[in-house]
Amino acid sequence: MKLFQGRVITPGEVTAEAVVTTQGFNTLASLQMALQFGDKEVKCGDQNNPELHGKPLIGRALCLPQTIGSTTGGLVLYCACAMKKNPACLLFSGPIDSLAAAGAVLADVWVDGVSMPVVDSLGEEFLSYVKDGMKVTVRDGGIVEVE
Amino acid sequence: MILTKEQQAILDGEKGEVLAKVMKTMVMYGDAFGAEKLVPITSKYNHLVTSFGLKVMSPVYDLMQTLLDAGVASGQKFSVDPRPLDKNVPASFLQNFVFNKFMYTKQDFYEKQLAELGLLDENAFSCTCYMDEMGNKPEKGEVLSWAESSAVVYANSVLGARCNRNSGIIDIMGSIVGYVPYFGLLTDEGRRTTWIVRVNTTKKPEAQLLGSAIGMQVMEDVPYVVGLDKWLGTELDDAACSYLKDFGAATASNGAVGLYHIANLTPEAVELGESLIAEGAREYVIDDAELERVQREYPVMWKNPDATPKLCFVGCPHLSLEQLKDWTDKIEASLAANGKKKVTVPTVLTAAPKVLEAFRATEYATRLTATGVVTSYICPLMYMNNPLCKKMPVITSSNKLRTYTSARYYTDAEILSAITGGKNA
């Protein structure tokens, strides 16, 4: 078990199974088809991301360096939260990007009854340590426990 | 973040609960980046990314309705990304059924919302709102609340405006409160570069391939590109602007670039030169072999990689008037050289409604129609975002379309050959 300290973007506590990408997470490419066509597991549709392509994202602790791609990214994330088809939490190794921040904030301010804790700046070691299937717990104050 | 009295009053709810939530959104958004203040938006018009009435995006339309019901719509008019549907674009009965009865059932409803929220006019639908014909072209130094990655990177890099890579919804919320948080690409420091890209190719690099290579390498950083002026010149003429439009769209979609500088060409590079380069900037050298590697490594998502193309899209982002004319000349010439009269693959060239209007007023329009090519204002990306298209062998010279769909990327020359029955078709 290892602890990592990050910065809270949106608060909350959760425990979930990790799914990890070491390359940028393209939110539109990853989520749109799954949301649009009712994929209950919300499998990642990004063909350019071999680490995630085809893997379920709903309810998972999504561990990533940053999000990339279309500026619809934030609203896609917001929609995923409003539809309760979101990852359990977003855990960034580096500083958050503007699209992910927008999605996290929009969900926090405008969606009732959904919590998707977002923590950034967990460090490079976090992303090299955490692996698919590991148990990840997000605690208050930006503490992330990986086991 | 330090707010003015007026901003604090809005946040405290003095102008209603909904406007307070809009302000809270902008403040939290800025806090995520350590922004110390909100600054006024100074552009005449805004630009929104969300143009599509997708059933699945219902939470977005609910939120827009909340804004409308509260009477907090922005006084700033806006353009918006392209419409997702056009009867001119070839589609099967099944595709039309899925588009109209399943996917875009909210299109009419959402377009009414857009009109109420401040859409410039019924033809203000394009990702290239900055084209002269479209009339939403910000000035150097203006502060924007735009979204649409390709438009943001163009406004920042080619026009010298200042805009972060805002998400949809944030774009309109900034406009509603009239302020955006001061961070990132709004600041002088955020516009400095941490990557020097040296273009050492033996021929003019394909815009969308070069942009893809750079985007994948630098991700969200700001690249300073040296050596491209050799191929583009030192004037931002129509040809250079069209090239940079396509190049930038690829950097933004294959990576997350919001601003690039081209040595001796783009405004800040001309004005500030290498003083834009931050200490310790990394270097990326691009030669012919590197571009070949990048193209070779794109995954082929077709079920049958050897399938005959069923459709071709050119124009993501939308084509300029000069590009439409150029494609007309090239298609005609290539068809003649191959002994053919009509394109051999159904082909759609996409451009902004007002660019198409200008094109139709030229003699090129009749000539292009004679080749069998269709023009459209559609968003090819929205057209292809469904499982039916996943099985369809579509080719494109757009690296953005390749990134988000199963369309297969080819260079402009390869596309030309493929659609005109050339040797390599």
Side-chain angles (χ1 to χ4, degrees), chain A residues 7 26 32-33 35-37 47-48 66 68-71 74-75 78-79 83 96 98-99 102 108-110, chain B residues 21 25 28 32-33 50 54 56 63 103 148-149 165-168 219-220 255 301 385 387 402-405:
Chain A
R7 179 182 68 134
N26 194 318
Q32 190 183 348
M33 287 283 243
L35 295 179
Q36 197 161 302
F37 292 95
Q47 64 195 26
N48 293 303
Q66 66 177 108
I68 59 170
S70 167
T71 50
L75 71 90
Y78 162 74
C79 284
M83 297 163 75
I96 198 166
S98 60
L99 302 181
D108 191 68
V109 176
W110 296 91
Chain B
K21 283 176 83 172
T25 304
M28 282 181 71
F33 300 95
T50 322
L54 269 176
V56 71
L63 180 48
M103 286 177 67
E148 168 49 47
S149 61
R165 276 171 52 88
N166 300 304
S167 171
M219 299 306 286
E220 81 283 15
M301 303 308 291
N385 258 327
R402 175 199 71 79
T403 300
Y404 295 125
T405 72

Side-chain angles (χ1 to χ4, degrees), chain B residues 395-407:
Chain B
I395 57 174
T396 183
S397 57
S398 164
N399 227 319
K400 181 170 184 173
L401 192 60
R402 175 199 71 79
T403 300
Y404 295 125
T405 72
S406 55

Side-chain angles (χ1 to χ4, degrees), chain A residues 1 4-6 9-10 14 21 23 35 47 49 67 70-71 73-74 77 95 103-104 112 121 126 133 144:
Chain A
M1 195 261 285
F4 296 89
Q5 176 68 59
I9 302 294
T10 52
V14 74
T21 174
Q23 69 180 73
L35 295 179
Q47 64 195 26
N49 190 332
T67 72
S70 167
T71 50
L77 203 51
D112 293 326
S121 303
F126 166 73
V144 174

Side-chain angles (χ1 to χ4, degrees), chain A residues 3-8 119-123 140-144:
Chain A
L3 291 177
F4 296 89
Q5 176 68 59
R7 179 182 68 134
V8 178
V119 178
D120 80 345
S121 303
L122 286 159
D140 273 345
I143 296 167
V144 174

Side-chain angles (χ1 to χ4, degrees), chain A residues 54-140:
Chain A
K55 290 182 184 170
L57 299 175
I58 191 170
R60 301 297 201 277
L62 180 56
C63 306
L64 67 168
Q66 66 177 108
T67 72
I68 59 170
S70 167
T71 50
T72 57
L75 71 90
V76 169
L77 203 51
Y78 162 74
C79 284
C81 290
M83 297 163 75
K84 298 186 170 42
K85 292 194 167 182
N86 52 295
C89 55
L90 301 183
L91 303 174
F92 294 85
S93 57
I96 198 166
D97 58 277
S98 60
L99 302 181
V105 170
L106 287 167
D108 191 68
V109 176
W110 296 91
V111 180
D112 293 326
V114 170
S115 170
M116 183 182 67
V118 178
V119 178
D120 80 345
S121 303
L122 286 159
E124 290 305 314
E125 193 194 352
F126 166 73
L127 213 50
S128 53
Y129 181 81
V130 68
K131 298 284 181 286
D132 276 2
M134 284 180 162
K135 186 177 153 191
V136 174
T137 300
V138 181
R139 302 201 185 284
D140 273 345

Side-chain angles (χ1 to χ4, degrees), chain B residues 112-308:
Chain B
K112 277 184 197 161
Q113 284 189 323
L114 287 174
E116 288 180 55
L117 286 162
L119 182 65
L120 270 162
D121 60 66
E122 63 180 9
N123 283 323
F125 287 85
S126 175
C127 49
T128 58
C129 60
Y130 45 78
M131 294 279 175
D132 288 338
E133 296 85 351
M134 293 298 287
N136 184 1
K137 189 174 189 174
E139 299 288 328
K140 184 170 182 288
E142 285 186 344
V143 175
L144 322 179
S145 183
W146 285 18
E148 168 49 47
S149 61
S150 68
V152 168
V153 73
Y154 188 92
N156 274 320
S157 312
V158 181
L159 304 177
R162 296 198 170 209
C163 186
N164 278 311
R165 276 171 52 88
N166 300 304
S167 171
I169 304 182
I170 291 292
D171 49 14
I172 195 160
M173 287 191 174
S175 183
I176 285 170
V177 294
Y179 298 98
V180 283
Y182 186 66
F183 72 92
L185 299 176
L186 266 55
T187 69
D188 289 343
E189 188 58 31
R191 297 175 79 85
R192 296 187 74 203
T193 175
T194 49
W195 279 94
I196 302 166
V197 178
R198 298 196 188 280
V199 177
N200 288 346
T201 54
T202 59
K203 59 186 177 187
K204 184 178 177 180
E206 193 82 3
Q208 299 229 16
L209 198 49
L210 180 66
S212 164
I214 293 174
M216 288 195 282
Q217 181 71 33
V218 311
M219 299 306 286
E220 81 283 15
D221 289 344
V222 179
Y224 187 92
V225 184
V226 179
L228 198 52
D229 54 327
K230 176 181 171 186
W231 305 106
L232 300 186
T234 54
E235 295 293 326
L236 282 171
D237 55 15
D238 282 345
C241 287
S242 293
Y243 184 99
L244 294 178
K245 161 182 74 73
D246 294 339
F247 163 82
T251 66
S253 57
N254 285 230
V257 174
L259 165 68
Y260 56 80
H261 301 294
I262 309 292
N264 303 318
L265 184 59
T266 53
E268 280 154 274
V270 168
E271 190 180 317
L272 301 168
E274 294 192 353
S275 68
L276 284 165
I277 301 169
E279 201 175 323
R282 286 174 282 180
E283 193 165 301
Y284 177 37
V285 177
I286 296 183
D287 54 16
D288 298 340
E290 174 64 353
L291 290 182
E292 281 165 22
R293 178 195 67 78
V294 168
Q295 186 175 4
R296 193 172 56 243
E297 290 184 0
Y298 292 147
V300 177
M301 303 308 291
W302 292 1
K303 200 171 177 182
N304 172 12
D306 300 319
T308 303

Side-chain angles (χ1 to χ4, degrees), chain B residues 311-364:
Chain B
L311 188 62
C312 171
F313 275 117
V314 176
C316 174
H318 276 167
L319 297 171
S320 67
L321 181 59
E322 290 309 310
Q323 285 179 306
L324 282 168
K325 290 177 178 176
D326 187 47
W327 273 102
T328 304
D329 285 336
K330 286 193 298 192
I331 290 167
E332 270 185 342
S334 187
L335 284 173
N338 295 330
K340 299 194 183 298
K341 292 200 164 147
K342 299 270 187 190
V343 286
T344 52
V345 177
T347 298
V348 183
L349 301 189
T350 52
K354 292 171 191 174
V355 171
L356 288 175
E357 199 179 302
F359 180 66
R360 280 193 289 271
T362 71
E363 46 94 21
Y364 285 87

